[in-house]
Amino acid sequence: MPETTDRGARRLAFGGDYNPEQWPQSVWEEDVRLMREAGVTMVSLGIFSWALLEPEPGVHDFGWLDRILDLLHENGVRADLGTPTVSPPAWFYRAHPDALPVTREGVRFAFGSRAAICHSNPAYREAAARITTALARRYAGHPALAMWHVHNEYGVPVSACWCDTCAAHFRRWLGDRYGTVEAVNDAWGTAFWGLAYRSLDEIDPPRLTPTAGNPAHQLDYRRFADDTLRENFRAERDILHRLAPGIPVTTNFMTALSQCDTVDYWAWGREVDLVTNDHYLITDGRRTHVNLAMAADLTRSVAGGAPWLLLEHSTSGVSWQPRNPAKSPGEMARNSLAHVARGSEGAMFFQWRQSRKGAEKFHSAMLPHAGTDSRVWREVVELGASVASLASVRGTRTVPDAAMLWDWQSWWAQTLEWRPSEDHDARERADAFYETLYDRHLTVDFAHPEADLSRYPLVVVPALYLASEETGRNLRAYAEGGGTLVVSYFSGIVDEHDAVHPGAYPGVLRDVLGLTVEEWSPLGEGETVGITGPGGASLTGDVWSEFVVPRGAETVWTYADGPAAGRPAVTRHRIGDGTAWYVSTRLDAPALDTVLGAAFEDAGIDPRGELPRDVELVRREGDGGTHLFAVNHTGHDAKVPLEAPGTELLTGERADGHLAVPAGTVRVVRLDDRGGPGSGLGA
Ligand code: GLA
Ligand code: ZN
């Protein structure tokens, strides 16, 4: 029965992308009947419907969307209504072929897929504003409307365009940012290789060059491209805010570091009313649930710790990898509820009904080709009930144990040409540090390097090559104030223009780490170095070594061999009331765990060693109560200690002392309200 007509969903969201335009209207009745059976509360609609909504330039056909929205409303399903601006119609491109984007190599993409857009193109901008305005006018008051879904996944698959329109737009952007061409020349270091410009008019996008291009030029182009996408998001958002006040506006992010690296989500998180994210499991031999947890933690952090919403994931296999395995029984629910544990206000999928035609017909869906007599459908119905039982989670916040610094711009800088070693990979370092903390059952917030870190007992810094002076001051103040910092090599080296900070490495982090680095000596392919530490223990590093000179820091681990034999490998600096560790080689996760173990002691963190590997424990706290999520990714039943008694929400059973978490399942305990803080995980 309808239960969402108040426009404020009282439940966690459950549903998916709904593309009814693929199906005759006779199917729609079955869709809504099955949505009710599965407990669907919301669908994302109209994301790719421009060609249907505006079949001729300026001529709108809203009839089908009216009918489907009414039908959804009658069945208690709310709409996350798309602006279809990621998929302009064929007629638009016939009139404006220059709205198709151009690659760095100078090739213009063709119509025939989606997201082929030059975001600087004025005709595109006008057309997008017109269709957005028309939709907002028509549906602002529709009772099914829950929120607006602008565009789709800005930044993929096209992150930037190198056409002449973009070139002109880039020059304007440079003018706004730098004022004069002299300032650009100075920031970019164009004195090197004779790249000086006499006027902004001489500057082009960093198109294909015979050898390494100017790094600052390339870095600014990434910023420009990201800003340009955000200009277009803001333009649509402002129209929607004006014409449909009170309806939240979102656009679906893809925060997983393996899935979209082209936009700066710190900046995007500030622009949306609600952060939403899409997450897909990548089959690359690694532990997918760790990657999922990391993406969810990053999404929550981009939302400033506030609840967010998982807008897309898959019920089973995807269709765009070389090999696309089906999810195992129970895996979908574990994925969904692991996102909820880390702050999502529900679990949504791509897509509701599996397509028969088009590019994604082999991508799994809530209602698969196999129909309702299928494992996927039965698990979807079961998950719908589980999600419904978690209503008290709404509005609560995930509680972090530690923070990891992350900055997309620093990552961009580390992927530019001609670095000390092509084996160094900033993302790989972030993954390794995250995995180490995950395996200690610590919940991680990500933080911008200039953010206030004082609430965290431990802050790890995987590879922060590009770091501002403000970052240096921030990290020093954090450590002096009693924090424990762990910094990995190749951090603190350059400023925002990729210019090396004056003096010895590691630039802005010299003081806080109490050391300098005279020279790097990256290792050969497959080469390893031994390091020895407390009690004669030994560990192995690879990829990187360097010549560290302690200047206040103590040496805890020493290189046993390799180019830096006899020199410090891992150091510890007491500074103010805190401690700053430095790790100068690439350690794998077990070795990192050994080194981080000592930092946990400095930080006073109890890393829950008694819990089994691959059993996640995450807390959400707030007005709805304290919720403890236990996700068992293993094939064995597990037991989790409880500090306070509570009710397990998925089974309705009471839990006291210990919580049983059967193999492959999730359990969520709402701890009894004891009238104060402090209830929770047993020591
Ligand atoms: C992305 C898109 C969806 C769909 C899914 C699955 O997340 O937003 O439209 O293509 O991937 O492939
Ligand atoms: Zn362009």
Side-chain angles (χ1 to χ4, degrees), residues 356-495:
R356 282 189 53 231
K357 303 174 185 175
E360 301 212 74
K361 55 184 169 294
F362 296 123
H363 190 289
S364 60
M366 298 173 80
L367 181 56
H369 289 154
T372 53
D373 185 12
S374 62
R375 176 182 72 84
V376 165
W377 176 253
R378 282 186 286 275
E379 288 194 17
V380 163
V381 173
E382 195 183 328
L383 179 62
S386 297
V387 169
S389 69
L390 297 178
S392 59
V393 167
R394 279 196 71 232
T396 60
R397 289 185 169 227
T398 301
V399 181
D401 299 301
M404 177 181 295
L405 297 195
W406 181 255
D407 180 14
W408 277 271
Q409 302 201 13
S410 177
W411 186 19
W412 299 344
Q414 285 172 86
T415 60
L416 294 168
E417 299 135 301
W418 292 7
R419 307 280 117 174
S421 171
E422 66 175 23
D423 298 328
H424 167 64
D425 176 347
R427 192 197 122 202
E428 181 280 331
R429 277 299 76 191
D431 287 347
F433 272 80
Y434 184 88
E435 192 163 359
T436 305
L437 298 172
Y438 178 94
D439 280 340
R440 294 285 198 134
H441 302 94
L442 300 175
T443 302
V444 177
D445 268 3
F446 288 81
H448 186 274
E450 295 179 7
D452 177 12
L453 303 168
S454 53
R455 62 185 293 225
Y456 302 108
L458 175 73
V459 173
V460 301
V461 186
L464 194 66
Y465 162 74
L466 182 156
S468 64
E469 287 182 21
E470 178 53 33
T471 294
R473 283 191 289 272
N474 192 38
L475 296 191
R476 185 179 171 142
Y478 166 72
E480 283 178 342
T484 300
L485 188 68
V486 182
V487 177
S488 181
Y489 62 88
F490 209 41
S491 294
I493 308 299
V494 297
D495 68 11

Side-chain angles (χ1 to χ4, degrees), residues 173-357:
W173 185 90
L174 289 169
D176 290 346
R177 195 174 171 98
Y178 293 97
T180 64
V181 71
E182 288 77 19
V184 177
N185 280 321
D186 183 48
W188 290 4
T190 56
F192 191 71
W193 279 0
L195 299 177
Y197 300 98
R198 289 173 309 162
S199 83
L200 294 177
D201 293 339
E202 290 177 351
I203 302 179
D204 284 329
R207 294 180 171 129
L208 208 56
T209 48
T211 183
N214 182 302
H217 183 186
Q218 298 185 61
L219 207 46
D220 264 351
Y221 203 70
R222 294 193 78 146
R223 295 189 178 109
F224 154 77
D226 181 37
D227 277 353
T228 300
L229 294 175
R230 243 180 348 268
E231 279 171 12
N232 285 357
F233 169 74
R234 271 197 297 267
E236 291 193 35
R237 179 201 62 194
D238 292 350
I239 291 168
L240 298 168
H241 278 168
R242 194 172 69 247
L243 297 176
I247 303 292
V249 178
T250 193
T251 180
N252 47 342
F253 296 170
M254 262 256 228
T255 59
L257 301 186
S258 53
Q259 292 173 26
C260 178
D261 66 353
T262 52
V263 298
D264 179 350
Y265 284 120
W266 290 127
W268 282 86
R270 294 191 288 270
E271 301 287 354
V272 295
D273 298 325
L274 171 71
V275 166
T276 57
N277 196 49
D278 301 346
H279 185 263
Y280 292 93
L281 301 183
I282 303 295
T283 313
D284 61 1
R286 298 186 312 155
R287 294 150 77 206
T288 50
H289 55 281
V290 181
N291 173 282
L292 183 157
M294 184 170 172
D297 282 347
L298 186 50
T299 308
R300 179 186 66 257
S301 304
V302 159
W308 55 278
L309 178 59
L310 175 69
L311 210 51
E312 291 180 28
H313 69 318
S314 69
T315 57
S316 192
V318 299
S319 57
W320 32 258
Q321 300 185 104
R323 285 161 290 274
N324 300 289
K327 287 190 180 176
S328 58
E331 189 175 2
M332 174 186 75
R334 284 202 304 283
N335 293 166
S336 296
L337 299 176
H339 282 290
V340 175
R342 291 171 194 276
S344 175
E345 297 281 72
M348 310 265 298
F349 294 91
F350 176 85
Q351 62 178 324
W352 162 251
R353 183 186 281 270
Q354 191 167 11
S355 302
R356 282 189 53 231
K357 303 174 185 175

